[in-house]
Amino acid sequence: MSKKHRARAVLLTPGDTLLLIGRVRPGLDPYSVVVGGGVEEGDADPEAAAVREVYEEIHGRAKIVRHLYALEDEKERQDFYLATVAEWSFDDKSGPEFTQEGRGEYTLLELPLTVAAIDAANLMPPEFAAVLRGLVERDELVPVAQGAE
C-alpha cells in the first residue's frame, strides 16, 4: 500500500492575514487545518495539487511562493507551501468533502498573522502548528517576492 500524499497551502491575503479551514466534528474540540488535500493522478506535482485544492475549497487562485515544510510518517506525506491568494469565495467551494455525510462543519477563518491567533485556532496537525508558530515569531512568513510578477 502506497503512502497518501497531501499538498497544503498556507494562504496569505493582501491584508496580511492567514486563511484556514475551521472544522467542527462531533466528539472533537473545534480545530483548524491548512487549505489542501490529496495529490491526485492528474496533478502535475504537489504544487499543482495545492493550487487545485485552494480552488476547490475556497474558490481562490493561489500563487505558490515556496515550499515551507514536509511532514511525513508511515502513512502519509504532507507538503506545506507558502502561497498568496488575492480573491476567494467560500460560498463557491466545490470540494467533494463538503457534500459527504458525517464530515461535520467547515468554515473559513481569516486570522491575523500572530502566534496568539494560530494558537487560538487549534491548528492541526500540532507538528505543523509549531512550525507555523515559529515562522510567524521570526517574521519569516512574508512572501519574498510580494508584489513582484
Side-chain angles (χ1 to χ4, degrees):
M1 185 170 130
S2 64
K3 277 188 187 186
K4 286 185 180 179
H5 193 177
R6 299 184 189 284
R8 302 197 176 278
V10 176
L11 296 171
L12 300 182
T13 71
D16 291 328
T17 58
L18 174 67
L19 297 180
L20 297 173
I21 301 291
R23 296 293 316 272
V24 177
R25 297 172 70 186
L28 298 175
D29 288 337
Y31 65 97
S32 65
V33 295
V34 174
V35 174
V39 176
E40 297 177 358
E41 196 172 306
D43 295 322
D45 54 33
E47 285 186 26
V51 168
R52 176 186 50 74
E53 287 286 342
V54 169
Y55 186 78
E56 287 178 2
E57 293 186 9
I58 68 165
H59 202 75
R61 303 256 184 227
K63 290 184 181 176
I64 302 294
V65 176
R66 67 181 183 271
H67 187 265
L68 284 177
Y69 191 73
L71 184 61
E72 192 165 4
D73 62 25
E74 61 280 345
K75 294 180 185 174
E76 70 178 1
R77 175 185 172 99
Q78 295 187 71
D79 282 298
F80 293 85
Y81 295 91
L82 177 62
T84 58
V85 64
E87 297 178 356
W88 59 92
S89 173
F90 195 61
D91 291 339
D92 294 322
K93 61 190 174 292
S94 61
E97 63 273 25
F98 300 118
T99 57
Q100 291 175 346
E101 198 66 34
R103 297 280 303 200
E105 296 175 38
Y106 292 82
T107 57
L108 184 63
L109 307 174
E110 186 173 356
L111 307 174
L113 278 176
T114 65
V115 170
I118 292 166
D119 288 346
N122 191 24
L123 182 61
M124 295 292 157
E127 299 89 345
F128 184 70
V131 169
L132 188 59
R133 186 181 305 111
L135 291 168
V136 169
E137 284 175 341
R138 295 184 306 273
D139 201 25
E140 294 177 3
L141 209 55
V142 179
V144 178
Q146 195 167 28
E149 287 296 313

